[in-house]
Amino acid sequence: MLNLFNNIRIVLVRTSHPGNIGAAARAMKTMGLQHLYLVQPKFFPDPAAVARAKQAEDILNNAPVVATLAEAIADCCLVFGASARPRDLVWPSVTAAQAGQQIIPAAAQYPVAVVFGNERTGLTNTEIQQCHYQLTIPADPVYRSLNLAAAVQVMAYEIYQNYLAAANQSSIAPEPLDLANMRELNGLYEHLEQVLMQIKYLDPAQPGQLMPRLQRLYNRARLEKSELNILRGILTAVAKQLA
């Protein structure tokens, strides 16, 4: 059953202090997680990361460094973005405990990611919109700001506790759907945006929040690959009629 941890990744976006990367790796290893992805870290590799990792240097050594969040989560079918900040466009939200309950059965079938933003600014609206859910860690409303590694530790703990509960039941029931991954969903969103501009429903000069709202709708629907292919087929047919 530990093999399902191969489908769980922690993604750190634009991390400014390398020590936090090492501390996050250590937090992961204490709970069995092995896969760390780094998006545009300010300093990495770095001795400070190694020093804070203690005996989790293997996680650092195997961590891919990529240019964009989209690249880090391209093959994932379930993505959580950790953020305590309210958004103008409210995104579907779950607590760390609720996310942990979803991650274990999902990871039995496909890659899952938990994304953490920059220590000071967190995840941008655009980055949250690339996630299925905004993940929150309940804390005192007077001061809700967790250290990055502490937030990773809380989420890793929730994942491991749900793994132990499933292991004690001797079974993990995977989600039965052949879900579209984020690369495929982003292809749909680009295709949809092109057609909406073509039919003049979307004004590129004043796009408003149309595309983020549609993105939220389809993320919430958790499209199967066959459903996504139907939608793209419809868009292709509409574009042909207009050509």
Side-chain angles (χ1 to χ4, degrees):
M1 289 174 65
L2 277 173
N3 287 338
L4 66 85
F5 283 169
N6 288 329
N7 269 345
I8 302 173
R9 70 189 60 166
I10 300 295
V11 182
L12 305 184
V13 181
R14 295 175 285 102
T15 311
S16 60
H17 195 292
N20 287 329
I21 297 175
R26 182 179 181 182
M28 291 170 59
K29 189 153 189 175
T30 63
M31 298 296 156
L33 301 179
Q34 292 291 323
H35 298 290
L36 175 65
Y37 281 62
L38 303 174
V39 180
Q40 293 185 18
K42 188 171 183 180
F43 302 105
F44 189 82
D46 190 277
V50 175
R52 293 286 298 279
K54 299 298 182 182
Q55 297 182 32
E57 294 93 340
D58 56 322
I59 294 179
L60 298 181
N61 293 337
N62 293 320
V65 178
V66 298
T68 65
L69 175 58
E71 186 178 351
I73 61 174
D75 60 335
C76 294
C77 295
L78 181 60
V79 182
F80 299 88
S83 177
R85 191 170 79 246
R87 308 283 167 161
D88 292 336
L89 180 59
V90 179
W91 215 246
S93 181
V94 295
T95 65
Q98 291 167 335
Q101 292 169 2
Q102 292 189 45
I103 286 171
I104 291 302
Q109 186 168 346
Y110 46 71
V112 178
V114 184
V115 181
F116 297 85
N118 172 268
E119 296 94 327
R120 186 177 64 84
T121 58
L123 294 172
T124 66
N125 287 336
T126 300
E127 289 162 348
I128 281 288
Q129 289 161 11
Q130 294 181 63
C131 305
H132 293 94
Y133 296 99
Q134 179 173 337
L135 184 155
T136 61
I137 298 175
D140 190 331
V142 175
Y143 188 66
R144 297 181 298 176
S145 179
L146 273 73
N147 170 270
L148 174 59
V152 172
Q153 185 73 79
V154 169
M155 195 60 240
Y157 171 84
E158 293 291 352
I159 292 170
Y160 195 70
Q161 294 310 300
N162 280 278
Y163 159 73
L164 290 177
N168 288 336
Q169 296 171 5
S170 301
S171 66
I172 295 177
E175 294 189 3
L177 304 178
D178 185 18
L179 296 177
N181 63 36
M182 296 310 297
R183 181 188 298 108
E184 293 161 335
L185 285 171
N186 286 333
L188 169 66
Y189 301 145
E190 292 173 5
H191 196 174
L192 178 59
E193 185 175 29
Q194 292 169 2
V195 173
L196 290 176
M197 288 190 293
Q198 194 174 353
I199 65 175
K200 302 189 184 306
Y201 188 82
L202 172 61
D203 181 358
Q206 294 182 311
Q209 291 189 322
L210 176 61
M211 288 310 302
R213 287 182 180 277
L214 289 172
Q215 195 169 341
R216 180 177 65 176
L217 169 65
Y218 287 119
N219 280 357
R220 189 167 61 236
R222 304 290 304 281
L223 294 173
E224 297 179 46
K225 292 180 187 291
S226 59
E227 295 169 333
L228 182 142
N229 290 336
I230 289 171
L231 291 172
R232 295 206 64 171
I234 293 170
L235 292 173
T236 298
V238 170
K240 285 182 179 178
Q241 289 294 319
L242 296 172

